[in-house]
Amino acid sequence: NQGTLILDATCTPADIHYPTDIRLLNEAREKLDEMIDVLHKIFGKTVKRPRTYRQKARRDYLSLSKQKKPGNEKIRLAIRKQLQYAGRNLKIVETLLGRWTKAGGDNPLSKRHQELLVTIKTVLAQQQTMYKTRSHRVDDRIVNLYQPHVRPIVRGKAGAPVEFGAKVAISLENGFSRIEKLSWNPFNESGTLIESAENYQKRCGHYPEAILADQIYRNRANLTYCKENKIRLSGPRLGRVPENAKLRNAETKIVRQDAGARNAVEGKFGEGKRKYSLDRIFARLKETAECVIAMQFLVMNLEHKLRVLIVQVWNVLCWNENEMIFQAS
Protein backbone atom coordinates (compact mmCIF):
# COMPACT_ATOMS: atom_id res chain seq x y z
CA ASN A 1 0.00 0.00 0.00
CA GLN A 2 1.22 3.49 -0.86
CA GLY A 3 0.02 7.05 -0.45
CA THR A 4 -2.29 8.87 1.92
CA LEU A 5 -6.01 9.55 1.50
CA ILE A 6 -7.73 12.26 3.55
CA LEU A 7 -11.52 12.20 3.96
CA ASP A 8 -13.99 14.72 5.33
CA ALA A 9 -17.38 16.30 4.61
CA THR A 10 -18.86 19.77 4.69
CA CYS A 11 -22.00 21.68 3.80
CA THR A 12 -22.28 24.20 0.96
CA PRO A 13 -25.02 26.60 2.12
CA ALA A 14 -27.61 27.82 -0.36
CA ASP A 15 -28.53 31.49 -0.74
CA ILE A 16 -31.81 31.46 1.19
CA HIS A 17 -33.33 33.23 4.17
CA TYR A 18 -32.90 31.56 7.52
CA PRO A 19 -36.14 29.59 7.45
CA THR A 20 -38.80 30.21 10.06
CA ASP A 21 -42.23 28.61 10.03
CA ILE A 22 -44.11 31.90 10.18
CA ARG A 23 -42.20 33.43 7.23
CA LEU A 24 -42.59 30.29 5.12
CA LEU A 25 -46.35 30.23 5.71
CA ASN A 26 -46.67 33.94 4.93
CA GLU A 27 -44.84 33.47 1.61
CA ALA A 28 -47.08 30.51 0.77
CA ARG A 29 -50.20 32.60 1.52
CA GLU A 30 -48.94 35.49 -0.65
CA LYS A 31 -48.25 33.18 -3.60
CA LEU A 32 -51.69 31.62 -3.27
CA ASP A 33 -53.15 35.15 -3.36
CA GLU A 34 -51.30 35.74 -6.64
CA MET A 35 -52.80 32.56 -8.09
CA ILE A 36 -56.29 33.62 -7.00
CA ASP A 37 -55.83 36.96 -8.78
CA VAL A 38 -54.77 35.15 -11.96
CA LEU A 39 -57.73 32.77 -11.86
CA HIS A 40 -60.25 35.48 -11.01
CA LYS A 41 -59.02 37.60 -13.91
CA ILE A 42 -59.78 34.72 -16.28
CA PHE A 43 -63.37 34.34 -15.04
CA GLY A 44 -63.92 38.11 -15.15
CA LYS A 45 -67.00 39.71 -13.64
CA THR A 46 -69.03 36.51 -13.90
CA VAL A 47 -67.50 35.28 -10.63
CA LYS A 48 -67.11 37.40 -7.53
CA ARG A 49 -63.60 37.45 -6.15
CA PRO A 50 -63.41 35.25 -3.03
CA ARG A 51 -62.54 36.89 0.25
CA THR A 52 -58.96 36.04 1.36
CA TYR A 53 -58.32 38.49 4.25
CA ARG A 54 -54.92 39.36 2.81
CA GLN A 55 -54.59 42.67 4.69
CA LYS A 56 -55.55 41.12 8.01
CA ALA A 57 -53.17 38.19 7.42
CA ARG A 58 -50.37 40.62 6.60
CA ARG A 59 -50.97 42.56 9.82
CA ASP A 60 -50.96 39.36 11.87
CA TYR A 61 -47.64 38.32 10.32
CA LEU A 62 -45.99 41.71 10.88
CA SER A 63 -47.22 41.94 14.46
CA LEU A 64 -45.16 38.85 15.30
CA SER A 65 -42.17 39.37 13.00
CA LYS A 66 -41.49 42.84 14.47
CA GLN A 67 -41.16 41.44 17.99
CA LYS A 68 -37.58 40.71 19.07
CA LYS A 69 -38.29 37.76 21.35
CA PRO A 70 -41.87 36.51 21.06
CA GLY A 71 -42.92 33.73 23.37
CA ASN A 72 -43.77 30.20 22.30
CA GLU A 73 -47.50 30.69 22.74
CA LYS A 74 -47.49 33.83 20.57
CA ILE A 75 -45.55 31.97 17.88
CA ARG A 76 -47.98 29.04 17.96
CA LEU A 77 -50.96 31.40 17.73
CA ALA A 78 -49.43 33.22 14.74
CA ILE A 79 -48.62 29.92 13.01
CA ARG A 80 -52.18 28.70 13.54
CA LYS A 81 -53.58 31.88 11.98
CA GLN A 82 -51.26 31.66 8.97
CA LEU A 83 -52.17 28.00 8.52
CA GLN A 84 -55.83 28.98 8.44
CA TYR A 85 -55.26 31.83 5.98
CA ALA A 86 -53.11 29.70 3.66
CA GLY A 87 -55.46 26.72 3.93
CA ARG A 88 -58.44 28.88 2.95
CA ASN A 89 -56.53 30.28 -0.05
CA LEU A 90 -55.51 26.78 -1.13
CA LYS A 91 -59.14 25.61 -1.10
CA ILE A 92 -60.14 28.64 -3.19
CA VAL A 93 -57.40 27.92 -5.75
CA GLU A 94 -58.43 24.28 -6.03
CA THR A 95 -62.10 25.25 -6.40
CA LEU A 96 -61.40 27.78 -9.15
CA LEU A 97 -59.10 25.38 -10.97
CA GLY A 98 -61.69 22.61 -10.77
CA ARG A 99 -64.40 24.88 -12.11
CA TRP A 100 -62.22 26.00 -15.03
CA THR A 101 -61.04 22.51 -16.01
CA LYS A 102 -64.59 21.19 -15.68
CA ALA A 103 -65.64 23.74 -18.30
CA GLY A 104 -63.07 22.23 -20.66
CA GLY A 105 -60.26 24.75 -20.33
CA ASP A 106 -56.55 24.04 -19.88
CA ASN A 107 -54.70 24.88 -16.69
CA PRO A 108 -54.46 28.69 -16.77
CA LEU A 109 -51.60 28.86 -14.27
CA SER A 110 -48.06 29.26 -15.55
CA LYS A 111 -45.50 26.49 -15.14
CA ARG A 112 -43.85 28.40 -12.30
CA HIS A 113 -47.17 28.75 -10.45
CA GLN A 114 -47.97 25.07 -10.99
CA GLU A 115 -44.63 24.03 -9.46
CA LEU A 116 -45.15 26.45 -6.57
CA LEU A 117 -48.63 25.04 -5.96
CA VAL A 118 -47.25 21.52 -5.56
CA THR A 119 -44.56 22.79 -3.20
CA ILE A 120 -47.05 24.84 -1.15
CA LYS A 121 -49.31 21.81 -0.66
CA THR A 122 -46.37 19.85 0.75
CA VAL A 123 -45.30 22.77 2.96
CA LEU A 124 -48.78 23.20 4.44
CA ALA A 125 -49.04 19.48 5.15
CA GLN A 126 -45.63 19.48 6.87
CA GLN A 127 -46.39 22.62 8.90
CA GLN A 128 -49.76 21.21 9.96
CA THR A 129 -48.07 18.02 11.16
CA MET A 130 -45.41 19.92 13.10
CA TYR A 131 -48.06 22.20 14.65
CA LYS A 132 -50.11 19.25 15.89
CA THR A 133 -47.15 17.28 17.23
CA ARG A 134 -45.39 20.38 18.66
CA SER A 135 -42.22 19.32 16.86
CA HIS A 136 -39.77 20.96 14.47
CA ARG A 137 -38.84 17.75 12.69
CA VAL A 138 -40.50 16.14 9.72
CA ASP A 139 -39.25 13.93 6.90
CA ASP A 140 -37.97 15.79 3.82
CA ARG A 141 -38.73 19.15 5.38
CA ILE A 142 -39.00 22.01 2.86
CA VAL A 143 -37.37 25.24 4.06
CA ASN A 144 -37.71 27.37 0.91
CA LEU A 145 -40.54 27.64 -1.64
CA TYR A 146 -38.25 28.40 -4.56
CA GLN A 147 -35.64 25.77 -3.70
CA PRO A 148 -37.66 22.82 -2.37
CA HIS A 149 -34.66 20.49 -2.74
CA VAL A 150 -32.73 22.28 0.03
CA ARG A 151 -32.74 20.45 3.37
CA PRO A 152 -31.48 21.36 6.85
CA ILE A 153 -28.09 19.77 7.55
CA VAL A 154 -27.16 19.45 11.23
CA ARG A 155 -23.42 20.18 11.49
CA GLY A 156 -23.01 20.94 15.19
CA LYS A 157 -20.68 23.89 14.61
CA ALA A 158 -20.49 26.69 17.15
CA GLY A 159 -21.46 29.48 14.76
CA ALA A 160 -24.05 27.56 12.74
CA PRO A 161 -25.33 24.32 14.28
CA VAL A 162 -27.69 23.84 11.31
CA GLU A 163 -26.87 24.76 7.71
CA PHE A 164 -29.14 24.66 4.67
CA GLY A 165 -27.64 23.32 1.48
CA ALA A 166 -25.95 20.32 -0.11
CA LYS A 167 -23.68 18.06 1.91
CA VAL A 168 -20.44 17.16 0.15
CA ALA A 169 -18.02 14.38 1.11
CA ILE A 170 -14.60 14.76 -0.52
CA SER A 171 -11.26 12.96 -0.60
CA LEU A 172 -7.91 14.77 -0.72
CA GLU A 173 -4.92 13.18 -2.42
CA ASN A 174 -1.64 15.05 -3.02
CA GLY A 175 -3.49 18.36 -2.78
CA PHE A 176 -6.17 17.40 -5.32
CA SER A 177 -9.76 17.09 -4.05
CA ARG A 178 -12.46 14.82 -5.44
CA ILE A 179 -16.17 14.77 -4.68
CA GLU A 180 -17.01 11.31 -3.35
CA LYS A 181 -20.66 12.03 -2.58
CA LEU A 182 -23.00 15.01 -3.01
CA SER A 183 -26.49 14.89 -1.57
CA TRP A 184 -29.18 17.36 -0.56
CA ASN A 185 -30.36 15.01 2.18
CA PRO A 186 -28.32 14.45 5.35
CA PHE A 187 -26.08 11.38 5.35
CA ASN A 188 -23.38 9.88 7.53
CA GLU A 189 -20.03 10.57 5.89
CA SER A 190 -18.50 7.44 7.40
CA GLY A 191 -20.36 5.41 4.77
CA THR A 192 -18.16 6.88 2.03
CA LEU A 193 -14.85 5.48 3.32
CA ILE A 194 -15.02 2.06 1.67
CA GLU A 195 -16.14 3.45 -1.67
CA SER A 196 -13.42 6.14 -1.56
CA ALA A 197 -10.74 3.54 -0.84
CA GLU A 198 -11.97 1.35 -3.71
CA ASN A 199 -11.93 4.34 -6.08
CA TYR A 200 -8.35 5.06 -4.96
CA GLN A 201 -7.40 1.46 -5.72
CA LYS A 202 -8.90 1.72 -9.22
CA ARG A 203 -7.00 4.94 -9.94
CA CYS A 204 -3.61 3.97 -8.52
CA GLY A 205 -3.62 0.17 -8.70
CA HIS A 206 -3.09 -0.21 -4.95
CA TYR A 207 -4.72 0.76 -1.66
CA PRO A 208 -3.51 3.77 0.36
CA GLU A 209 -1.06 3.19 3.17
CA ALA A 210 -3.11 5.41 5.49
CA ILE A 211 -6.56 7.02 5.56
CA LEU A 212 -6.75 10.18 7.64
CA ALA A 213 -10.28 10.91 8.78
CA ASP A 214 -12.34 12.19 11.68
CA GLN A 215 -13.49 10.06 14.61
CA ILE A 216 -16.90 9.54 12.99
CA TYR A 217 -15.24 7.34 10.34
CA ARG A 218 -13.94 4.90 12.96
CA ASN A 219 -16.93 2.56 13.06
CA ARG A 220 -16.79 -1.21 13.15
CA ALA A 221 -17.33 -1.74 9.41
CA ASN A 222 -14.60 0.71 8.40
CA LEU A 223 -12.13 -0.64 10.96
CA THR A 224 -12.72 -4.19 9.73
CA TYR A 225 -12.32 -3.13 6.09
CA CYS A 226 -9.06 -1.28 6.78
CA LYS A 227 -7.67 -4.20 8.76
CA GLU A 228 -8.46 -6.67 5.97
CA ASN A 229 -6.77 -4.46 3.34
CA LYS A 230 -3.83 -3.46 5.60
CA ILE A 231 -4.80 0.22 5.65
CA ARG A 232 -3.92 2.35 8.67
CA LEU A 233 -6.94 4.39 9.77
CA SER A 234 -6.01 7.48 11.74
CA GLY A 235 -6.88 7.68 15.41
CA PRO A 236 -5.99 5.83 18.60
CA ARG A 237 -5.98 2.05 18.54
CA LEU A 238 -8.80 0.11 20.14
CA GLY A 239 -8.27 -1.84 23.33
CA ARG A 240 -5.85 -1.31 26.18
CA VAL A 241 -2.94 1.08 26.09
CA PRO A 242 0.39 -0.76 25.44
CA GLU A 243 2.49 -1.32 28.54
CA ASN A 244 5.70 -0.71 26.62
CA ALA A 245 6.52 2.99 26.99
CA LYS A 246 8.39 3.22 23.66
CA LEU A 247 5.50 1.64 21.76
CA ARG A 248 3.01 3.85 23.55
CA ASN A 249 4.97 7.01 22.76
CA ALA A 250 5.41 5.96 19.12
CA GLU A 251 1.66 5.43 18.70
CA THR A 252 0.90 8.76 20.33
CA LYS A 253 3.34 10.47 17.98
CA ILE A 254 1.72 8.87 14.92
CA VAL A 255 -1.76 9.94 16.08
CA ARG A 256 -0.57 13.54 16.47
CA GLN A 257 1.12 13.51 13.07
CA ASP A 258 -2.04 12.16 11.44
CA ALA A 259 -4.13 14.85 13.13
CA GLY A 260 -1.77 17.52 11.83
CA ALA A 261 -1.77 16.12 8.31
CA ARG A 262 -5.58 15.90 8.32
CA ASN A 263 -5.76 19.68 8.69
CA ALA A 264 -5.07 19.89 4.94
CA VAL A 265 -8.67 18.99 4.15
CA GLU A 266 -9.94 21.65 6.57
CA GLY A 267 -7.72 24.15 4.78
CA LYS A 268 -9.18 23.01 1.46
CA PHE A 269 -12.69 23.69 2.76
CA GLY A 270 -11.58 27.11 3.97
CA GLU A 271 -10.02 27.88 0.60
CA GLY A 272 -13.19 26.86 -1.23
CA LYS A 273 -15.52 28.85 1.01
CA ARG A 274 -13.43 32.01 1.32
CA LYS A 275 -12.02 32.26 -2.20
CA TYR A 276 -14.30 30.20 -4.44
CA SER A 277 -17.77 31.06 -3.00
CA LEU A 278 -18.59 27.62 -1.63
CA ASP A 279 -19.94 29.33 1.48
CA ARG A 280 -22.99 30.53 -0.52
CA ILE A 281 -24.35 28.88 -3.64
CA PHE A 282 -26.40 31.40 -5.62
CA ALA A 283 -27.75 28.91 -8.18
CA ARG A 284 -31.43 28.15 -7.55
CA LEU A 285 -32.08 25.00 -9.57
CA LYS A 286 -30.96 21.68 -8.15
CA GLU A 287 -28.95 20.61 -11.21
CA THR A 288 -27.40 24.07 -11.61
CA ALA A 289 -26.30 24.19 -7.98
CA GLU A 290 -24.68 20.76 -8.26
CA CYS A 291 -22.85 21.91 -11.39
CA VAL A 292 -21.64 25.06 -9.61
CA ILE A 293 -20.30 23.04 -6.67
CA ALA A 294 -18.46 20.62 -8.97
CA MET A 295 -16.99 23.50 -10.98
CA GLN A 296 -15.61 25.11 -7.81
CA PHE A 297 -13.68 21.95 -6.96
CA LEU A 298 -12.49 21.70 -10.57
CA VAL A 299 -11.13 25.25 -10.45
CA MET A 300 -9.41 24.57 -7.11
CA ASN A 301 -7.66 21.54 -8.61
CA LEU A 302 -6.57 23.59 -11.65
CA GLU A 303 -5.20 26.28 -9.35
CA HIS A 304 -3.28 23.67 -7.38
CA LYS A 305 -1.91 22.17 -10.60
CA LEU A 306 -0.80 25.65 -11.70
CA ARG A 307 0.97 26.28 -8.38
CA VAL A 308 2.81 22.96 -8.65
CA LEU A 309 3.89 23.81 -12.22
CA ILE A 310 5.12 27.27 -11.20
CA VAL A 311 7.18 25.77 -8.36
CA GLN A 312 8.76 23.26 -10.74
CA VAL A 313 9.65 25.98 -13.25
CA TRP A 314 11.03 28.16 -10.46
CA ASN A 315 13.21 25.33 -9.16
CA VAL A 316 14.61 24.71 -12.67
CA LEU A 317 15.41 28.41 -13.12
CA CYS A 318 17.06 28.63 -9.73
CA TRP A 319 19.10 25.48 -10.42
CA ASN A 320 20.32 26.85 -13.78
CA GLU A 321 21.21 30.19 -12.19
CA ASN A 322 23.18 28.51 -9.40
CA GLU A 323 24.98 26.34 -11.92
CA MET A 324 25.96 29.38 -13.99
CA ILE A 325 27.26 31.16 -10.89
CA PHE A 326 29.23 28.05 -9.90
CA GLN A 327 30.82 27.80 -13.38
CA ALA A 328 31.67 31.47 -13.43
CA SER A 329 33.36 31.24 -10.05
Side-chain angles (χ1 to χ4, degrees):
N1 297 358
Q2 299 176 7
T4 302
L5 189 65
I6 308 177
L7 303 178
D8 205 353
T10 189
C11 180
T12 55
D15 183 41
I16 63 173
H17 280 293
Y18 186 86
T20 57
D21 296 336
I22 187 69
R23 177 185 290 158
L24 195 61
L25 289 172
N26 180 68
E27 289 181 356
R29 178 193 59 79
E30 291 178 347
K31 293 303 172 184
L32 289 172
D33 269 330
E34 290 182 6
M35 298 177 196
I36 293 174
D37 291 338
V38 172
L39 294 173
H40 178 258
K41 187 177 180 180
I42 294 174
F43 282 101
K45 296 182 180 181
T46 57
V47 177
K48 184 179 178 182
R49 189 191 187 282
R51 183 177 296 177
T52 58
Y53 303 96
R54 63 172 66 185
Q55 294 180 354
K56 183 178 179 182
R58 179 67 178 174
R59 285 197 301 268
D60 291 340
Y61 165 69
L62 292 177
S63 65
L64 180 79
S65 62
K66 289 181 179 180
Q67 298 182 29
K68 291 185 177 180
K69 294 183 179 180
N72 292 332
E73 293 302 323
K74 290 184 179 180
I75 294 175
R76 278 186 59 82
L77 179 60
I79 290 176
R80 189 186 70 183
K81 289 182 178 180
Q82 294 300 321
L83 280 172
Q84 292 173 349
Y85 292 134
R88 180 187 293 109
N89 290 357
L90 180 60
K91 290 181 181 179
I92 294 172
V93 170
E94 291 177 344
T95 301
L96 294 177
L97 278 176
R99 184 181 300 179
W100 181 260
T101 54
K102 188 176 180 180
D106 296 332
N107 194 329
L109 296 178
S110 63
K111 183 179 178 181
R112 175 172 172 270
H113 275 157
Q114 293 178 25
E115 294 175 352
L116 276 176
L117 184 60
V118 175
T119 304
I120 288 172
K121 289 181 181 179
T122 306
V123 168
L124 293 181
Q126 292 178 351
Q127 293 294 328
Q128 191 71 33
T129 301
M130 289 189 291
Y131 179 80
K132 291 180 179 179
T133 59
R134 290 179 175 267
S135 173
H136 291 285
R137 292 186 179 183
V138 68
D139 295 338
D140 298 328
R141 182 180 177 183
I142 296 177
V143 294
N144 190 270
L145 294 181
Y146 307 100
Q147 301 183 50
H149 53 275
V150 175
R151 298 285 181 269
I153 307 292
V154 179
R155 299 294 296 154
K157 305 296 182 180
V162 180
E163 294 178 311
F164 305 91
K167 188 173 183 180
V168 184
I170 74 166
S171 63
L172 190 65
E173 176 192 352
N174 296 328
F176 296 98
S177 54
R178 292 179 175 85
I179 296 178
E180 299 294 342
K181 185 175 182 179
L182 190 153
S183 175
W184 295 96
N185 293 314
F187 65 89
N188 193 325
E189 53 264 34
S190 63
T192 63
L193 185 141
I194 297 177
E195 184 178 0
S196 301
E198 292 296 332
N199 292 336
Y200 183 93
Q201 196 275 337
K202 293 178 181 178
R203 291 194 306 268
C204 305
H206 52 76
Y207 288 104
E209 184 272 332
I211 294 179
L212 310 184
D214 202 357
Q215 288 290 333
I216 194 173
Y217 288 84
R218 293 178 58 83
N219 55 32
R220 188 177 299 275
N222 290 341
L223 289 171
T224 303
Y225 173 83
C226 292
K227 184 177 181 181
E228 291 175 353
N229 294 280
K230 300 180 181 179
I231 302 173
R232 177 171 58 83
L233 184 59
S234 63
R237 60 178 288 179
L238 299 179
R240 296 181 180 179
V241 179
E243 296 181 359
N244 190 337
K246 292 184 178 180
L247 181 60
R248 184 170 62 250
N249 293 336
E251 290 183 354
T252 303
K253 184 178 180 181
I254 292 174
V255 171
R256 290 179 179 176
Q257 290 177 349
D258 290 344
R262 202 189 70 83
N263 288 334
V265 71
E266 301 292 347
K268 184 62 68 173
F269 287 148
E271 177 188 356
K273 292 188 175 183
R274 289 178 179 271
K275 189 176 179 182
Y276 298 97
S277 302
L278 278 178
D279 59 335
R280 179 173 292 183
I281 305 300
F282 289 94
R284 302 183 71 172
L285 297 179
K286 179 181 178 181
E287 295 78 9
T288 312
E290 293 174 357
C291 181
V292 168
I293 295 170
M295 288 297 295
Q296 303 296 356
F297 281 98
L298 173 62
V299 173
M300 281 195 290
N301 289 335
L302 292 176
E303 289 280 355
H304 178 73
K305 185 69 175 178
L306 181 61
R307 288 194 293 267
V308 172
L309 180 61
I310 291 175
V311 169
Q312 292 176 353
V313 173
W314 178 259
N315 290 336
V316 171
L317 293 176
C318 291
W319 184 82
N320 292 334
E321 183 179 357
N322 292 335
E323 185 179 4
M324 293 175 61
I325 294 174
F326 176 76
Q327 292 177 358
S329 61

